[in-house]
Amino acid sequence: MVAHAYTVAFEGVEARPVEVQCAITPGLPAFSIVGLPNKAVSEARDRVRTALASLAIALPSKRITINLSPADLPKEGSHFDLPIALGLLAALDIIPKDAVAQTVALGELSLDGALVPVLGALPAAMSAANDDRALLCPYASGPEAAWVDACNVIAAKTLLDVVRHYSGQAVLEPAIAGEVAAQTSSKDLRDVKGQERAKRALEIAAAGRHHLFMVGTPGSGKSMLAARMPGILPPLSAHEALETSMIHSVAGILEEGGVPRFRPFRQPHHTASMAAIIGGGRGAKPGEVSMAHNGVLFLDELPEFQRQVLETLRQPVETGEVMVARANAHINYPCRFLLLAAANPCKCGYLSDPDQACSRAPICGEDYLGRISGPLIDRFDLRLDVPPVSVADLDLPATGESSETVAKRVAAARDLQRLRFENHDNMHTNADAEGQALEDIAALEPESRDLLLRAADRFGLSARGYHRVLRVARTIADLDQSENLQRPHVAEALSYRLVSTKES
């Protein structure tokens, strides 16, 4: 007699259904697990045997075979412990087979029978809901999985609780979704003295999800400005929060039980490897670009990153997704993020500072910024020179608008874009607009079109550069609540494109 239990195997953020077939047959005593298990899955037999023994359940002296179907799908992770144990309990008629067959289970077993939380509870709950099954998981993973309303989530602390639940001795209550993780940041735009043009560029970038590149001397405030970007971004929508949380769940960085509604802000160090930035390593895990999905990826000291790492960013920035290709896995991760980058103008940092003139100008700057390729620079919608702030200005009282005030304008502009693109599946902000959709939303007045065409011809804008100026101008018009693109909107968009950092 074969008992059936169900679990999932993870391919990126996708949870693929796996059937756990358990057969106890006459023969020499053995316990084998087949179906392309990795080392962690193969070791499940010892954990399961000992956990069952802690409940005074002894496995029979027969041949036990566990088949993980489909057999050609690689199985990785310790979360197969619980479904294997369920299959054995059902095969031994300790719990009902039909109840087990209606459940997707995942969880690691400790030797005393306690259930240890595992990664991926949220995507597993999505998979269980699609198959019209309940989800059984460790107690600590329950609040995370319960965010999927369409799935009945049962969270147990021990294997004994599971046996009592299925035997009807002590039925477990459905898990309750955890609290929404709150954003706690005291960083305000009012803290930044001066830099009004940089603040304006930050607002435009936030409103339309436009990539921003800042160049300035050390201490001019580039990192300080970037750190205040999360404070002016609108909260995640319900769909975006679920998308982002699924990635964080697989990566193991989701706060216990909480689904955040604030946008992620990732700031990897410039020594990060390609696998850390793009994704990969054991199990082809998501990288920083995917963990910044629907949020911000800030690359400080951009020229210091490895050249190969920077070049691999070109495709994710353009398409909003990245494929992690390995010998045994080809996994797609979403990575629609806002790219913020900062750099010094040269190696010493004082190329543009008249008070501390660089002794190797202009070669120092050309060599340093030359580490960033033209095609990558061309993907930044906004380019900005950030001048140093004098010590006298730092002594002045705080001026300018607060992050809360700017955030309201950004949210209003995002609302316009949400309505504009509600019938487009792959377009959410002005930065996503392309083709005929971009032409439709442009609404250029004759004077605006003439200015844009003359600037494109005069400065040799690439086709990509032309369209990026158009998108930025549309965002500036949205911030002004203007239906048409007027000449000042196009002029301001061009001013952020034609700067000294790098020409198109």
Side-chain angles (χ1 to χ4, degrees):
M1 185 67 177
V2 178
H4 301 267
Y6 294 89
T7 186
V8 294
F10 296 105
E11 285 190 345
V13 294
E14 181 184 359
R16 294 189 56 181
V18 172
E19 183 180 20
V20 180
Q21 303 165 355
C22 178
I24 301 177
T25 56
L28 293 175
F31 192 149
S32 59
I33 300 176
V34 298
L36 283 185
N38 73 343
K39 186 67 172 174
V41 181
S42 297
E43 291 173 347
R45 57 176 174 264
D46 296 317
R47 292 191 294 271
V48 170
R49 187 192 297 275
T50 308
L52 290 175
S54 71
L55 304 182
I57 299 174
L59 294 177
S61 298
K62 294 183 179 181
R63 184 170 186 83
I64 299 173
T65 304
I66 305 293
N67 179 42
L68 306 177
S69 176
D72 61 346
L73 176 67
K75 318 299 188 307
E76 298 181 354
S78 59
H79 66 274
F80 286 90
D81 291 5
L82 183 55
I84 290 173
L86 281 185
L88 284 169
L89 290 170
L92 295 172
D93 291 324
I94 296 175
I95 58 178
K97 292 183 177 64
D98 55 346
V100 172
Q102 294 301 315
T103 304
V104 172
L106 80 163
E108 179 184 331
L109 283 171
S110 63
L111 298 184
D112 61 356
L115 293 181
V116 180
V118 292
L119 307 180
L122 191 58
M126 295 285 289
S127 176
N130 291 336
D131 293 339
D132 198 22
R133 289 190 170 97
L135 178 74
L136 174 64
C137 65
Y139 186 81
S141 301
E144 172 190 334
W147 280 100
V148 182
D149 293 334
C151 178
N152 180 31
V153 178
I154 304 165
K157 293 182 178 179
T158 66
L159 188 58
L160 179 60
D161 292 340
V162 174
V163 174
R164 287 175 173 172
H165 173 78
Y166 282 108
S167 61
Q169 299 176 32
V171 178
L172 296 171
E173 294 293 328
I176 299 174
E179 296 293 328
V180 175
Q183 184 177 20
T184 56
S185 176
S186 59
K187 297 177 180 178
D188 196 286
L189 273 178
R190 284 180 60 87
D191 300 334
V192 183
K193 303 290 182 68
Q195 305 296 9
E196 298 305 321
R197 178 171 167 80
K199 293 178 186 177
R200 172 64 172 172
L202 210 66
E203 178 181 346
I204 296 169
R209 198 181 65 80
H210 300 293
H211 307 308
L212 171 61
F213 182 35
M214 298 178 287
V215 176
T217 56
S220 58
K222 304 184 296 295
S223 299
M224 190 177 185
L225 285 161
R228 279 143 184 80
M229 175 62 88
I232 63 174
L233 286 170
L236 292 167
S237 66
H239 177 71
E240 288 174 332
L242 194 59
E243 268 189 342
T244 305
S245 297
M246 286 177 66
I247 298 172
H248 290 184
S249 177
V250 171
I253 63 172
L254 189 65
E255 294 184 20
E256 186 174 311
V259 172
R261 293 299 292 267
F262 58 87
R263 297 183 182 272
F265 183 84
R266 306 294 299 181
Q267 187 178 357
H269 193 261
H270 62 258
T271 57
S273 66
M274 183 180 298
I277 299 294
I278 302 300
R282 187 174 63 86
K285 295 296 184 182
E288 292 290 340
V289 294
S290 297
M291 288 187 281
H293 181 58
N294 290 322
V296 179
L297 178 66
F298 176 43
L299 302 182
D300 202 2
E301 306 297 343
L302 187 66
E304 298 292 345
F305 282 81
Q306 300 175 38
R307 178 68 178 266
Q308 190 178 10
V309 172
L310 292 181
E311 293 308 301
T312 56
L313 285 174
R314 287 156 54 178
Q315 181 258 344
V317 164
E318 199 74 21
T319 64
E321 63 179 15
V322 61
M323 173 174 280
V324 179
R326 297 294 182 266
N328 61 346
H330 290 74
I331 298 172
N332 266 321
Y333 286 110
C335 59
R336 191 174 57 251
F337 55 87
L338 191 165
L339 178 60
L340 282 182
N344 294 326
C346 64
K347 187 69 176 176
C348 71
Y350 297 103
L351 179 70
S352 57
D353 190 342
D355 297 328
Q356 304 184 59
C358 176
S359 60
R360 295 183 59 243
I363 298 175
C364 181
E366 293 173 355
D367 290 345
Y368 191 65
L369 290 181
R371 299 177 186 180
I372 311 169
S373 69
L376 179 58
I377 287 287
D378 200 37
R379 284 166 167 79
F380 284 97
D381 301 340
L382 305 166
R383 306 171 195 169
L384 187 67
D385 287 326
V386 183
V389 179
S390 67
V391 177
D393 290 339
L394 294 177
D395 225 12
L396 297 174
T399 59
E401 297 175 313
S402 66
S403 291
E404 183 180 0
T405 302
V406 175
K408 290 179 180 177
R409 286 200 301 269
V410 170
R414 285 282 185 117
D415 287 340
L416 287 176
Q417 294 166 60
R418 178 177 51 81
L419 294 173
R420 181 180 297 141
F421 299 115
E422 61 182 353
N423 296 323
H424 298 270
D425 293 336
N426 298 319
M427 297 181 192
H428 307 277
T429 59
N430 289 333
D432 303 320
E434 59 183 11
Q436 188 58 47
L438 178 58
E439 295 295 331
D440 291 342
I441 69 171
L444 279 167
E445 294 182 349
E447 288 186 356
S448 305
R449 185 177 296 277
D450 180 61
L451 173 61
L452 182 56
L453 291 176
R454 284 191 291 110
D457 182 62
R458 169 67 178 83
F459 295 101
L461 287 178
S462 65
R464 180 189 290 117
Y466 173 86
H467 288 130
R468 288 188 180 275
V469 169
L470 205 56
R471 294 182 184 115
V472 172
R474 180 66 265 174
T475 298
I476 295 171
D478 288 343
L479 287 169
D480 287 346
Q481 299 291 304
S482 173
E483 185 175 345
N484 295 326
L485 290 188
Q486 300 170 9
R487 186 183 177 89
H489 301 146
V490 174
E492 186 177 1
L494 284 168
S495 72
Y496 291 113
R497 188 79 187 178
L498 308 174
V499 293
S500 60
T501 55
K502 198 101 170 184
E503 294 299 326
S504 293

